[in-house]
Amino acid sequence: MLILTCPYCGVKGEETEFHSGGEAHLKRFGPGSSDADFEQYLFMRENPKGVHLERWRHANGCGKWFHAARCTVTLEVFGTYSAQTTEPPQHIRDAISARRPGWTWREFS
Amino acid sequence: MSEAVSALNAATASGVATVEEVGLRGMITLRGDLSGKAVAAAVKAAVGAGVPDVRRIVQGDQGAAAWMSPDELLLLTGYDRAAEAVAAAQDAMGTAHGLVVNVSDARAGFRVSGGGAREVLGKLSPVDFSAEAFGAGQFRRSRLAQVPAAIWANENGSLEVICFRSVAQYVFDLLRVSGETGGEVGFYRA
Ligand SMILES: [Zn+2]
């Protein structure tokens, strides 16, 4: 079972209280971008076995979007953090490193 | 002028707990900066309560205020004074960025009381409703089976539920069936 803690209301809830919002920290390429960039933005997603960064919404709760860093193999959650950021904050990176030394995900490590 | 009625006209059911639809109640959504003076003044003016802490409900002399999200409160008051409370809150908000709206007719409410109340809710929701984890004044949004709901604990041990009016019959039936005699699990022992 996946247990997430909402960083906005502090609820530690199980997966059915939340809704997955897909991969985190996508950089949007819109009108005027190259076809290659747009294709990457629209279709290409990480599908890691291990550390993953995702967006989640506390749908049956306070309703807020947030980010989560978790392991896709064990469902261990390294931490959840604010939606108002374009990259994982240092304390989240440290929490992942403590459990998965040498991890990388896209340009982050 | 049409006569206002609540979703299920005060339906009741009893088994290991008593389930009652609470009937008409004033409910007001207030959104804004919860740490700001304007929201505090609006809550005071509308229901005479303070601003509740995270996941709490506080009583005032004209009703109660509950924490819904980092920028939203739910104010409870008498059905007949909801419009007056909205006006008072809007006045108190002044020019501060925010929203106050009467949602009384958009929601339904239920009270679950009696020895099996915590178990009736516990069977329907992924929440720890033990007395230690969920005491009086706690307020929690979650789901009851397939629909969202807000639940809180009263001083007298009863639990209250608010859901969308459109799913009132569904939620009443959930509570009724969950509370049927013979369905006890005995998980939350006193
Ligand atoms: Zn939340």
Side-chain angles (χ1 to χ4, degrees):
Chain A
M1 186 187 286
L2 181 60
I3 308 275
L4 293 164
T5 301
C6 173
Y8 291 97
C9 68
V11 158
K12 185 178 174 193
E14 54 90 52
E15 189 177 345
T16 63
E17 212 171 279
F18 301 89
H19 190 85
S20 172
E23 187 176 326
H25 309 306
L26 293 178
K27 184 175 190 300
R28 183 163 190 261
F29 288 90
S33 62
S34 73
D35 284 357
D37 281 344
F38 187 68
E39 185 217 13
Q40 286 286 323
Y41 157 66
L42 200 59
F43 298 115
M44 304 313 280
R45 292 291 179 270
E46 293 297 295
N47 186 21
K49 183 178 177 183
V51 174
H52 198 20
L53 305 180
E54 292 172 308
R55 301 164 74 226
W56 283 85
R57 180 172 174 255
H58 197 183
N60 286 314
C62 71
K64 298 299 178 193
W65 284 96
F66 60 92
H67 285 122
R70 68 169 181 115
C71 176
T72 59
V73 178
T74 63
L75 302 192
E76 176 178 355
V77 177
F78 306 113
T80 54
Y81 52 103
S82 165
Q84 279 73 41
T85 177
T86 54
E87 54 180 71
Q90 194 58 46
H91 75 275
I92 293 292
R93 297 183 196 211
D94 291 345
I96 303 172
S97 294
R99 302 287 298 162
R100 301 286 187 279
W103 68 281
T104 62
W105 187 89
R106 289 201 185 253
E107 70 268 37
F108 306 121
S109 59
Chain B
M1 187 68 189
S2 56
E3 182 199 353
V5 290
S6 64
L8 304 181
N9 226 344
T12 63
S14 57
V16 298
T18 301
V19 179
E20 312 156 77
E21 199 223 359
V22 294
L24 293 172
R25 173 156 61 186
M27 290 179 262
I28 298 161
T29 288
L30 191 161
R31 301 195 77 152
D33 174 6
L34 301 192
S35 61
K37 288 197 176 90
V39 164
V43 178
K44 196 84 194 157
V47 295
V51 176
D53 282 338
V54 176
R55 302 201 319 275
R56 303 287 303 181
I57 180 167
V58 290
Q59 302 297 322
D61 37 301
Q62 299 267 36
W67 193 94
M68 294 287 276
S69 90
D71 54 7
E72 179 178 345
L73 300 178
L74 179 67
L75 308 180
L76 305 172
T77 190
Y79 185 83
D80 291 332
R81 67 174 296 278
E84 173 194 327
V86 167
Q90 278 169 340
D91 246 19
M93 287 280 279
T95 56
H97 180 65
L99 168 135
V100 186
V101 62
N102 184 353
V103 296
S104 305
D105 296 319
R107 310 272 171 89
F110 299 94
R111 187 178 301 112
V112 186
S113 54
R118 291 176 182 277
E119 188 161 298
V120 167
L121 270 302
K123 284 199 276 183
L124 299 170
S125 183
V127 174
D128 182 359
F129 284 116
S130 65
E132 306 79 64
F134 200 74
Q138 295 265 18
F139 186 93
R140 177 77 150 79
R141 291 175 73 184
S142 183
R143 65 181 176 89
L144 289 180
Q146 300 186 41
V147 296
I151 300 138
W152 73 93
N154 286 317
E155 292 290 341
N156 64 9
S158 65
L159 299 176
E160 281 197 46
V161 175
I162 284 182
C163 64
F164 289 116
R165 182 174 177 130
S166 56
V167 293
Q169 185 70 55
Y170 174 79
V171 168
F172 179 77
D173 290 344
L174 284 178
L175 295 169
R176 178 178 57 77
V177 172
S178 179
E180 274 178 357
T181 304
E184 303 92 329
V185 178
F187 185 69
Y188 299 132
R189 285 178 208 286

